[in-house]
Amino acid sequence: MKAYRTDHKIKQTSAGNRPLPRHTGSRAVRDLQSAFADADSGLPIDPARRQEALAALQHVIACKEVYLLYNKRLIWQNRFRYADRSIGIFHLLGCIAMLFLMFVMDLQHVDRGFMTASAMILAGVLGSLSILTVSRACFSKLSELSESCFFNVRQITAFDMVFSGLINLAVLMIMILFAGSRWQIRLLQIGVYILVPYVFTQCACLGVLLTETGRRNVWLIAAIGGFLSVFYVILASTPHLYTESALVIWVIALLIGAGLFGIQIHALFKEISKGEILCTN
């Protein structure tokens, strides 16, 4: 068993600059015991019931099996076993549905314009699902408790972002390769058409998540994703934006969105470190 020191030197009080005395560990324990004894002195306590409660606690402690887990593989297994898998499963089902819709559009022989608009909408939905997966640390109402676990909130959030990001990149690459081969579009061209809505939807949803109102309402992130889907439909109805000369604008927009998303990720982890995410729960 590890021994933890409890003697901390406190230089100032919150009310002023008067220094507080430094206590050793045993002195602090005695002061704490005497403070509890003084507080309990005015309360009517039945000695028989106190002994019964103490015996019941000792019985529960004696029957409880407590063990330390040192195997990292078992720790990761327990992490997946007890984690909330509802949002993750919903994310995976959304990815499968998007790939299925791309296959259906190929069977229906839709034109290139309709496919491009549909792919942009699907990429935007995928971006909002990714942020919903990351935001479960804010909506679980257990962030303070998870901060005391083996994996804290920062580590869980980083794992969710990496895991969902790898899944999203795999789905996006399949969509880009499939659309480029079936509709005879250059991979760079269809790639930026799909990646720009994906990145900007993530930026918008993560921007909402960085606000206190967004961390308290999961439907607000979904509403932002739905609004951007309508915007992408309007954007797809502008043909001159999809010409060869406008491809540079799409590449610049992609770079700006990627940079903004990186800044937001830094701000998210900074707020977690400061405790802003925890305090909203």
Side-chain angles (χ1 to χ4, degrees), residues 31-174:
D31 292 345
L32 187 61
Q33 289 176 347
S34 62
F36 276 105
D38 294 339
D40 294 340
S41 60
L43 299 176
I45 300 176
D46 188 358
R49 296 188 63 184
R50 182 173 59 183
Q51 292 298 327
E52 291 177 1
L54 179 61
L57 288 175
Q58 291 175 346
H59 176 71
V60 172
I61 294 174
C63 297
K64 185 177 181 180
E65 182 181 359
V66 180
Y67 62 94
L68 297 178
L69 192 60
Y70 295 103
N71 193 322
K72 290 186 177 181
R73 182 179 60 84
L74 295 178
I75 293 175
W76 278 106
Q77 288 181 357
N78 291 336
R79 161 77 175 90
F80 286 107
R81 179 181 178 184
Y82 297 108
D84 183 14
R85 294 181 291 270
S86 58
I87 298 180
I89 293 175
F90 184 70
H91 184 195
L92 291 176
L93 291 177
C95 294
I96 296 173
M98 292 174 191
L99 296 177
F100 178 75
L101 289 176
M102 292 293 293
F103 180 73
V104 170
M105 284 191 292
D106 179 49
L107 293 179
Q108 296 294 327
H109 301 289
V110 300
D111 58 11
R112 181 181 298 183
F114 183 82
M115 183 279 304
T116 303
S118 301
M120 292 176 59
I121 295 173
L122 293 177
V125 173
L126 187 63
S128 60
L129 288 177
S130 178
I131 300 301
L132 285 175
T133 303
V134 174
S135 64
R136 61 181 175 181
C138 303
F139 303 127
S140 62
K141 306 299 182 181
L142 295 174
S143 293
E144 290 86 351
L145 181 61
S146 61
E147 191 66 18
S148 62
C149 299
F150 186 86
F151 297 108
N152 55 30
V153 178
R154 284 172 56 89
Q155 293 171 319
I156 293 175
T157 304
F159 173 79
D160 289 338
M161 295 190 75
V162 172
F163 185 72
S164 63
L166 292 176
I167 294 177
N168 292 341
L169 288 178
V171 173
L172 291 174
M173 288 302 299
I174 294 174

